[in-house]
Amino acid sequence: MLLETLSNASGVSGYEGDIRSIIKEVIEKYVDDIIIDKMGNVIAHKKGNGTKVIIDAHMDEVGFIITGYNEDGTLRFYPLGKINSKVPPAKVVFIGENKITGVIGIKPIHLQSKEEKGRSMSYSEYCIDIGSNSKDETKEVVRLGDYAVFDTKFGDFGRGLVKGKAFDDRIGCCILAEILKEDFQCDIYGVFNVQEEVGERGAYISSFTVKPDIGIVLEGTVCADMPNIPKYKRGTEIGNGPAISIMDESSLFSSQIFADIIKVANEKSIPYQLRRSVTGGNDGGAIHMSGEGAKVATISVPCRYIHSSVSVASLEDYQNTCKLVIEYIRTLG
């Protein structure tokens, strides 16, 4: 399964090379040409007529970058993308291309002061322990600027669910790869962007290059269907189908496209839900503001525990998102 391969691979912002290689190999026989631009975005073109459409997913995941050495051989680090500082302690990570194993260390609870126990720790109070005895020993195997990712492995989880890391947005990349296998009348650019988690940087470049009429963003989005969260605060819920966004912090999505997508879902009996949260943002903000602008929409797969060491998603939601996007694009001439 492509999602398993991509979830287990490493590709934090700025270090998407492994993901790019996997995706290029999967899609190249289904598209007319592929461009890898200077930023590292993959722009795959399926030639058609009329409406020019970008279908977008980002390759990068949240993770960490190594910023310094401590005298005892442990490492200082900083997040790449938004990871709540409560998430990292005691997690196992892989560092760099050689996948050096590390454990994110924190002062034990029984040694913390009353003040420390009452607040969230900061990244400056953590370290990554690789089992080294000295700074010099660590320098032999880890370089400043190396990335680190959680070591979570993909797997089945309950009935019809899967768990793994980086579903934001490897799940979108998988949907886009499936879409590119289909034939359409309109002019399709499947764009796998870099550096979304640090400010949609890749999308600004690729969308300026393509200059689309429409941009469809595929995402793994926040899901909060947990027992301690009231229903009205649950932005999306697993099992209720793809989530269609109205707006977020970076975009006010096209009401016309929004209505057309819902019409297709109803006509094809594809379950869907409205994303009831406006927090966060994605590549849509870059796409609709680049060049002369474009109409944009976002369709997402709900993912529990997003931007942490593990996410959970429904395979049925994934499949229905594929169906909905394919059927909508077929309406575009």
Side-chain angles (χ1 to χ4, degrees), residues 160-327:
L161 305 180
V162 289
K163 59 89 177 174
K165 72 171 179 64
F167 285 2
D168 176 16
D169 185 31
R170 305 290 160 67
I171 204 162
C173 291
C174 292
I175 293 169
L176 178 47
E178 289 297 321
I179 291 168
L180 291 175
K181 296 177 182 179
E182 303 292 324
D183 292 322
F184 305 99
Q185 291 184 345
C186 56
D187 206 24
I188 297 290
Y189 288 84
V191 179
F192 301 84
N193 282 316
V194 299
Q195 298 187 37
E196 188 268 357
E197 297 293 0
V198 291
E200 297 83 49
R201 297 173 187 177
Y204 279 105
I205 304 305
S206 61
S207 54
F208 187 84
T209 299
V210 174
K211 297 179 174 61
D213 301 303
I214 292 175
I216 304 296
V217 179
L218 306 174
E219 269 282 14
T221 196
V222 63
C223 175
D225 53 352
M226 299 173 64
N228 60 334
I229 297 177
K231 196 171 182 68
Y232 74 92
K233 286 188 176 181
R234 300 178 183 182
T236 67
E237 297 180 80
I238 279 184
N240 287 354
I244 305 170
S245 295
I246 301 171
M247 65 174 290
D248 61 25
E249 292 177 358
S250 66
S251 304
L252 182 60
F253 298 110
S254 166
S255 58
Q256 175 189 336
I257 297 177
F258 175 82
D260 290 344
I261 291 170
I262 290 177
K263 180 181 179 182
V264 168
N266 290 330
E267 289 177 347
K268 300 295 181 179
S269 299
I270 301 170
Y272 68 91
Q273 58 188 301
L274 303 185
R275 187 176 184 269
R276 300 187 298 274
S277 171
V278 298
T279 58
N282 57 43
D283 283 343
I287 294 169
H288 85 149
M289 290 191 293
S290 293
E292 297 177 356
K295 296 178 180 179
V296 295
T298 292
I299 304 175
S300 307
V301 177
C303 299
R304 290 179 186 147
Y305 324 124
I306 207 165
H307 280 214
S308 73
S309 60
V310 64
S311 291
V312 172
S314 160
L315 289 175
E316 190 173 12
D317 287 344
Y318 164 81
Q319 292 159 359
N320 282 321
T321 304
C322 286
K323 292 177 186 176
L324 180 56
V325 179
I326 288 169
E327 292 297 338

Side-chain angles (χ1 to χ4, degrees), residues 9-232:
S10 301
V12 299
S13 303
Y15 298 85
E16 299 92 348
D18 287 350
I19 310 303
R20 181 165 47 246
S21 297
I22 294 167
I23 288 170
K24 185 175 181 293
E25 183 177 353
V26 168
I27 67 171
E28 56 188 356
K29 62 183 176 182
Y30 300 107
V31 300
D32 294 302
D33 58 71
I34 296 176
I35 296 171
I36 298 176
D37 66 18
K38 293 178 182 178
M39 284 285 287
N41 300 311
V42 177
I43 304 174
H45 188 197
K46 286 179 74 78
K47 295 178 182 178
N49 299 308
T51 306
K52 188 186 295 186
V53 182
I54 271 184
I55 310 172
D56 160 278
H58 66 88
M59 295 184 287
D60 58 318
E61 65 187 287
V62 295
F64 310 99
I65 187 168
I66 304 303
T67 59
Y69 305 100
N70 295 314
E71 291 299 326
D72 64 353
T74 59
L75 294 158
R76 297 192 297 276
F77 66 103
Y78 195 75
L80 284 173
K82 295 179 180 179
I83 306 178
N84 190 302
S85 62
K86 296 177 182 178
V87 168
K91 300 297 192 302
V92 178
V93 294
F94 291 137
I95 304 169
E97 294 180 358
N98 294 326
K99 294 187 179 297
I100 303 297
T101 301
V103 175
I104 298 179
I106 186 174
K107 183 189 292 187
I109 188 71
H110 58 279
L111 296 182
Q112 292 178 19
S113 67
K114 183 177 180 180
E115 185 270 334
E116 287 173 328
K117 292 177 182 178
R119 64 171 174 81
S120 296
M121 294 293 214
S122 67
Y123 279 92
S124 63
E125 296 171 283
Y126 301 152
C127 65
I128 297 179
D129 182 354
I130 64 168
S132 169
N133 294 310
S134 69
K135 180 192 289 189
D136 289 339
E137 185 179 335
T138 299
K139 283 183 175 181
E140 292 178 5
V141 292
V142 178
R143 299 172 301 176
L144 297 184
D146 276 349
Y147 63 83
V149 296
F150 296 113
D151 77 334
T152 310
K153 293 298 181 183
F154 181 92
D156 294 329
F157 186 78
R159 183 175 297 177
L161 305 180
V162 289
K163 59 89 177 174
K165 72 171 179 64
F167 285 2
D168 176 16
D169 185 31
R170 305 290 160 67
I171 204 162
C173 291
C174 292
I175 293 169
L176 178 47
E178 289 297 321
I179 291 168
L180 291 175
K181 296 177 182 179
E182 303 292 324
D183 292 322
F184 305 99
Q185 291 184 345
C186 56
D187 206 24
I188 297 290
Y189 288 84
V191 179
F192 301 84
N193 282 316
V194 299
Q195 298 187 37
E196 188 268 357
E197 297 293 0
V198 291
E200 297 83 49
R201 297 173 187 177
Y204 279 105
I205 304 305
S206 61
S207 54
F208 187 84
T209 299
V210 174
K211 297 179 174 61
D213 301 303
I214 292 175
I216 304 296
V217 179
L218 306 174
E219 269 282 14
T221 196
V222 63
C223 175
D225 53 352
M226 299 173 64
N228 60 334
I229 297 177
K231 196 171 182 68
Y232 74 92

